[in-house]
């Protein structure tokens, strides 16, 4: 009997998906012009200013840590001037009542300025980017094998494959830092 073994994918073992999502957001919004390895190292150094890297590798990054890395690593200095981004948390302070409202909001946001906007969010286990919503499907720009998912696989908190926590949903737009 032969066992089929699949390779580990980025994020499965290193918990760097938050860092990869930020790097991928800059790369997507600026057509690959950013030096990704250099940005990844800058964001890791920013994280390390406040926390130990072994904490990131062991537990991943929560939204407060991501806020810090965005503020100190992307919204200041070189990256702010060369690759300006605007971040917001659209589901706060008042969470929309239903997922239809959420996805209507997401769809409007992305379709108003295609290729200049992304949505970053975190499931309980993984940070990822959404670049398009079309025909009941969500399209990911992700550091793993995830490419698309049905809107029906999302939920608030418990119950769906992709649990949406309003604290971990960010709208990202090319241009102008906040």
């Amino acid at each position: 009997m032969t066992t089929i073994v699949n390779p580990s994918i980025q994020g499965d073992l290193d918990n760097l998906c938050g860092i990869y999502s930020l790097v991928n957001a800059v790369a997507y919004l600026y057509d690959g012009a950013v030096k990704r390895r250099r940005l990844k190292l800058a964001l890791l150094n920013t994280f390390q200013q406040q926390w130990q890297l072994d904490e990131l590798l062991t537990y991943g990054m929560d939204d407060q840590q991501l806020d810090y890395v965005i503020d100190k690593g992307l919204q200041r200095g070189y990256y702010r001037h060369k690759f300006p981004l605007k971040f917001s948390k659209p589901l706060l302070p008042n969470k929309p009542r239903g997922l239809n409202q959420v996805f209507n909001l997401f769809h409007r946001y992305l379709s108003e300025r295609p290729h200049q906007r992304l949505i970053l969010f975190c499931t309980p286990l993984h940070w990822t980017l959404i670049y398009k919503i079309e025909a009941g499907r969500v399209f990911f720009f992700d550091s793993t094998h995830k490419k698309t998912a049905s809107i029906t696989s999302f939920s608030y908190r418990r119950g769906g494959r992709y649990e949406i926590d309003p604290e971990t949903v960010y709208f990202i737009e090319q241009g102008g830092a906040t």
Side-chain angles (χ1 to χ4, degrees):
M1 177 186 232
T2 304
T3 302
I4 297 174
V5 178
N6 294 315
S8 295
I9 305 295
Q10 184 284 314
D12 285 349
L13 303 175
D14 62 18
N15 293 317
L16 293 177
C17 55
I19 298 292
Y20 275 86
S21 290
L22 293 175
V23 170
N24 287 336
V26 177
Y28 180 91
L29 294 171
Y30 285 94
D31 297 324
V34 69
K35 293 183 178 174
R36 294 178 196 203
R37 185 176 304 276
R38 186 177 293 165
L39 175 56
K40 180 188 82 170
L41 293 174
L43 296 176
L44 287 170
N45 285 332
T46 300
F47 183 92
Q48 195 172 20
Q49 292 170 6
Q50 194 72 18
W51 300 278
Q52 297 295 317
L53 280 181
D54 65 339
E55 181 179 333
L56 176 62
L57 295 170
T58 303
Y59 304 109
M61 185 182 308
D62 64 28
D63 60 303
Q64 293 172 346
Q65 292 168 324
L66 189 79
D67 289 343
Y68 179 87
V69 172
I70 289 169
D71 180 50
K72 305 291 188 206
L74 291 175
Q75 301 286 268
R76 299 175 191 226
Y78 174 79
Y79 290 103
R80 177 182 181 205
H81 296 290
K82 187 78 173 166
F83 305 102
L85 298 172
K86 181 180 178 183
F87 289 84
S88 62
K89 287 188 170 185
L91 302 185
L92 297 178
N94 299 319
K95 174 175 86 170
R97 292 179 190 251
L99 285 176
N100 284 340
Q101 287 178 307
V102 169
F103 281 101
N104 286 337
L105 175 69
F106 286 5
H107 183 266
R108 276 193 316 274
Y109 178 76
L110 293 172
S111 62
E112 285 174 5
R113 292 183 60 202
H115 309 291
Q116 296 177 350
R117 291 180 167 179
L118 290 167
I119 298 169
L120 170 66
F121 83 101
C122 187
T123 69
L125 299 173
H126 184 66
W127 288 97
T128 191
L129 296 163
I130 298 171
Y131 70 92
K132 179 172 70 171
I133 298 173
E134 185 176 273
R137 300 212 58 82
V138 174
F139 294 83
F140 300 113
F141 190 70
D142 193 78
S143 61
T144 67
H145 59 281
K146 295 176 185 155
K147 301 291 182 220
T148 185
S150 170
I151 288 175
T152 60
S153 62
F154 288 79
S155 71
Y156 277 134
R157 301 285 181 186
R158 309 257 181 236
R161 182 171 172 207
Y162 300 102
E163 298 171 12
I164 295 176
D165 178 354
E167 295 280 338
T168 66
V169 175
Y170 296 77
F171 281 3
I172 308 172
E173 186 170 349
Q174 180 187 43
T178 55

